[in-house]
Amino acid sequence: MTALRLLWLHLRIGVMNELQYRANFVLQLGESAIGLLTALLGLGIVFAKTDDLGGWSPDELLVVVGIYFLVGGLAQMVVQPSLQRFMEDVRQGTLDFTLTKPVDAQTLVSIRQVEVWKLVDIAIGIGVLVVALVRLGHAIGPAEAAAFLVALLAGAAIVYAFLMILATCVFWFIRLDNILVIFQSMYEAGRWPITIYPSWLRLGLTFLVPIGFAVTVPAQGLVGRLTLELLAGAVALAVAMPLAARWFWHLGLRRYGGASA
Amino acid sequence: MIESTAPALSVRDLRKTYSVPERESGMRASIRSLWRRRTSEVVAVAGITFDVAPGEVVGFLGPNGAGKTTTLKMLAGLLHPTAGEARVLGFEPWQREHDYLRQMTLVMGQRNQLVWDIPVADSYELNRAIYAIPIDDYRGALAELDELLELGPLLPKPVRNLSLGERMKCELAGALLHRPRMLFLDEPTLGLDVTAQRRIRAFVAAYAERHQATVLLTSHYMADVEALAERVIVIHRGGLLFDGALGTLVERFSPFKTVTVDLDYPVEGLERFGEIVSIEELRITLRAPKSEAAALTARLLAELPVIDLSVSDPPIDEVIDRVFSAPADEAEPARLVGTSA
């Protein structure tokens, strides 16, 4: 509850302050437009040659693109900038101030920095998703809708936990400037359903860097191609990974405070 | 010693040892350190013990690296001690219980906690949410802080547009919105000009008095400590060197008096009177052992054309400097610890 209120406040303050810098908005608009164009062009090139990519039709792949923008936008709007700032705080010693606040420190470092203009990506994601669903034409039944929502939430939790674990490493290796970029570049691969990749890469993108759960699985849910086993697996991972991240965070904090030495 | 009230802060034999990586110079050693790290133990705080009563303002003195900040960080709950105990407001600080954190604050002069790019008022709004301060209490606290520090015109400005002095005022106010009862202030006046320093000092004194807050303050500026604290705790090389009244510190550590005379006309050969600290035209400042100060004064009056003469304790800065620059065996903590009044 406190977490949501704090997030809302950060969002509000972020919006109020960012409205002064219209140039940032224009830049983000440009960046998102290029991202969308690249994605659509990619789809266009592939489907100029074939109507089916690893079992996915063009409109179904549009669903993947939509979710790619939506999840990526969410991560880049709040989690990634917040964790980047957290890592900076550890380097500069300003994490001390966070730790003296009567709020859960992990929550606080996860929501403290909001990149408002990433809302553009989220809006694009939702827009593409709507277009794709309209073109697909097949009615989304309650089962698909539910599977999609559950898989999306699970994916978000998994991505958050993954980023959190990466960022927490900063307690051991003070200089980790680019660790979150690892995720960013891997995430690019999520623009395509991971089922089209060779199995070794697919495994990597599922369990090593959980892009598959973040994008492909919710898309499968929406187009009615998600097995119950896979959904259960996603939910199980969505419970286990945040728990692991939490444990790792506490381990890091113990090291920070010198309690483990 | 039994007091009617429990101490706000009680520290028993608190120790902190850091293990720091060591690297010999040179490429070969650097490469070797990739897989074999050599570490050495550094004792930051070597077992200190003291109590602070509720509402007391205590100055925490020591040269750089004496262990002041490490002690403060342990008491603020940021560091685990290697050994020893501490209780602040009845809590063990490093458990970081929210009930404890809500009642204390930490201000570090060399580090910012207000958000750089957003207006001060927005940072305060965030603190209000974090501490869950009811809106009426918040307005009351802000009005009071505004009255003491004149924050009004600063609130709508982004922190990056504030001067250092303005920023420190805003930092302090932001750290006190939740009206903490325990204040840890680490160099709160660092880098400020004299006027701003005085301002901050007056403010801390007023806040402590008004809210019966307990304050532990470290500073390089003796003026801070002189203005705020009746009691000082001096630590040196991680150990407690002195704990007691500021005046006692001067008496104990300064075996000298400063004698200043104004002469009617220049006189040669002043060296025969003892150690000369300075000669500014006709004003001569001498230093003499305490026991000889009276005799020296008599001689000066008898032998020189004295217009004015004064005897005083040396400035506290000088006293402290003598204490800290003394060789290790002379400043042996165990030998010099005083009992507090």
Side-chain angles (χ1 to χ4, degrees):
Chain A
M1 212 40 234
T2 320
L4 282 181
R5 224 185 51 234
L6 280 172
L7 177 59
W8 174 244
L9 195 57
H10 278 107
L11 200 63
R12 220 172 50 109
I13 289 174
V15 170
M16 286 190 311
N17 288 296
E18 273 300 315
L19 288 180
Q20 305 165 45
Y21 310 108
R22 271 177 307 179
N24 282 351
F25 174 60
V26 174
L27 279 177
Q28 181 60 50
L29 217 55
E31 190 191 319
S32 301
I34 291 170
L36 181 64
L37 252 136
T38 321
L40 295 181
L41 267 174
L43 288 189
I45 291 167
V46 169
F47 286 105
K49 307 250 185 235
T50 169
D51 282 340
D52 173 295
L53 185 71
W56 294 74
S57 76
D59 291 329
E60 286 173 343
L61 281 182
L62 218 48
V63 170
V64 176
V65 171
I67 295 174
Y68 168 81
F69 270 89
L70 179 62
V71 174
L74 278 172
Q76 286 172 32
M77 185 169 83
V78 183
V79 181
Q80 238 170 297
S82 296
L83 292 180
Q84 202 69 54
R85 180 173 156 199
F86 150 69
M87 293 166 65
E88 196 58 38
D89 277 352
V90 172
R91 262 195 298 278
Q92 301 192 345
T94 32
L95 184 71
D96 289 352
F97 291 122
T98 310
L99 298 179
T100 54
K101 296 286 182 289
V103 209
D104 181 67
Q106 187 193 341
T107 310
L108 203 53
V109 303
S110 306
I111 59 171
R112 246 184 340 162
Q113 191 83 40
V114 179
E115 296 280 341
V116 176
W117 298 127
K118 288 293 170 190
L119 278 171
V120 172
D121 273 357
I122 295 176
I124 287 181
I126 293 173
V128 170
L129 213 49
V130 169
V131 170
L133 290 180
V134 170
R135 287 170 56 106
L136 273 171
H138 78 74
I140 306 291
E144 281 92 9
F148 166 69
L149 278 178
V150 171
L152 192 65
L153 283 176
I158 291 168
V159 168
Y160 165 71
F162 180 75
L163 285 170
M164 190 73 222
I165 288 171
L166 284 188
T168 302
C169 293
V170 79
F171 285 122
W172 287 267
F173 315 97
I174 298 301
R175 292 202 59 114
L176 277 179
D177 301 348
N178 293 322
I179 194 163
L180 296 183
V181 176
I182 297 179
F183 175 79
Q184 195 49 43
S185 46
M186 299 300 260
Y187 187 72
E188 300 276 320
R191 203 183 283 170
W192 302 94
I194 63 160
T195 48
I196 67 168
Y197 295 118
S199 63
W200 61 268
L201 188 54
R202 199 161 62 223
L203 280 173
L205 289 176
T206 306
F207 295 107
L208 226 52
V209 188
I211 309 296
F213 283 106
V215 184
T216 312
V217 172
Q220 285 172 324
L222 205 53
V223 300
R225 210 180 282 165
L226 184 56
T227 62
L228 210 55
E229 289 84 3
L230 196 51
L231 186 62
V235 171
L237 205 61
V239 172
M241 274 192 53
L243 284 177
R246 182 87 184 155
W247 171 81
F248 193 49
W249 165 260
H250 278 300
L251 204 67
L253 272 191
R254 290 236 309 270
R255 182 180 165 87
Y256 186 77
S260 61
Chain B
M1 187 164 55
I2 296 164
E3 283 173 300
S4 54
T5 45
L9 198 157
S10 129
V11 174
R12 292 285 169 275
D13 201 25
L14 203 63
R15 275 166 205 281
K16 180 72 187 175
T17 314
Y18 292 113
S19 155
V20 292
E22 229 177 32
R23 184 171 65 78
E24 292 157 51
S25 55
M27 184 57 95
R28 195 182 291 181
S30 302
I31 291 172
R32 200 174 333 122
S33 77
L34 275 176
W35 64 89
R36 182 171 290 172
R37 281 280 154 97
R38 280 172 37 147
T39 58
S40 62
E41 300 268 291
V42 172
V43 179
V45 177
I48 57 174
T49 298
F50 61 90
D51 281 342
V52 178
E56 207 176 357
V57 179
V58 175
F60 207 40
L61 298 177
N64 288 336
K68 291 178 309 234
T69 301
T70 302
T71 307
L72 233 51
K73 280 187 168 188
M74 286 193 277
L75 296 177
L78 294 167
L79 293 177
H80 274 251
T82 312
E85 288 169 33
R87 292 246 145 206
V88 188
L89 304 175
F91 295 92
E92 192 169 58
W94 41 92
Q95 301 297 331
R96 281 206 288 271
E97 286 172 61
H98 289 180
D99 282 338
Y100 170 56
L101 298 179
R102 256 190 287 277
Q103 299 182 63
M104 69 82 133
T105 203
L106 169 71
V107 175
M108 292 187 268
Q110 72 279 41
R111 288 181 197 159
N112 270 314
Q113 67 173 322
L114 297 176
V115 186
W116 194 245
D117 283 321
I118 67 174
V120 176
D122 286 351
S123 275
Y124 287 1
E125 197 59 39
L126 285 170
N127 273 2
R128 180 172 96 75
I130 286 169
Y131 287 99
I133 309 169
I135 187 74
D136 288 338
D137 293 1
Y138 172 73
R139 292 213 179 103
L142 197 56
E144 184 194 331
L145 293 165
D146 181 28
E147 172 207 325
L148 292 169
L149 286 169
E150 287 165 27
L151 299 171
L154 308 179
L155 294 179
K157 292 189 189 169
V159 175
R160 67 179 134 78
N161 293 349
L162 301 179
S163 73
L164 189 59
E166 291 172 331
R167 203 193 307 153
M168 203 55 227
K169 284 205 291 191
C170 293
E171 284 279 341
L172 257 176
L176 298 173
L177 286 169
H178 59 292
R179 292 209 167 122
R181 291 165 52 207
M182 181 75 231
L183 277 59
F184 297 107
L185 309 178
D186 192 14
E187 305 279 355
T189 54
L190 195 70
L192 301 187
D193 63 47
V194 178
T195 321
Q197 282 182 31
R198 199 170 294 145
R199 201 69 203 276
I200 298 283
R201 252 175 245 146
F203 167 71
V204 171
Y207 179 91
E209 165 125 22
R210 206 178 277 199
H211 298 285
Q212 279 301 298
T214 311
V215 181
L216 197 57
L217 166 107
T218 76
S219 180
H220 274 109
Y221 302 113
M222 275 312 302
D224 278 351
V225 179
E226 276 185 282
L228 286 172
E230 286 173 9
R231 176 180 163 200
V232 290
I233 292 173
V234 182
I235 63 170
H236 189 33
R237 300 192 175 98
L240 199 72
L241 197 63
F242 175 82
D243 179 355
L246 197 55
T248 318
L249 175 74
V250 176
E251 250 168 58
R252 182 175 312 227
F253 288 108
S254 181
F256 292 96
K257 288 274 183 188
T258 303
V259 180
T260 310
V261 285
D262 287 324
L263 300 182
D264 196 16
Y265 48 83
V267 175
E268 294 287 307
L270 290 165
E271 294 76 24
R272 65 193 148 107
F273 292 104
E275 187 187 349
I276 294 171
V277 180
S278 69
I279 300 180
E280 296 165 48
E281 297 187 23
L282 293 175
R283 167 167 293 190
I284 325 294
T285 307
L286 297 127
R287 182 162 37 209
K290 249 185 217 164
S291 55
E292 294 165 23
L296 174 68
T297 310
R299 266 183 74 204
L300 288 169
L301 287 171
E303 296 174 31
L304 293 176
V306 173
I307 295 177
D308 195 10
L309 180 147
S310 70
V311 181
S312 59
D313 284 318
I316 293 184
D317 278 319
E318 216 171 277
V319 178
I320 297 284
D321 190 44
R322 290 183 84 88
V323 174
F324 294 149
S325 54
D329 57 323
E330 242 179 78
E332 189 57 51
R335 208 160 55 92
L336 291 179
V337 167
T339 44
S340 81

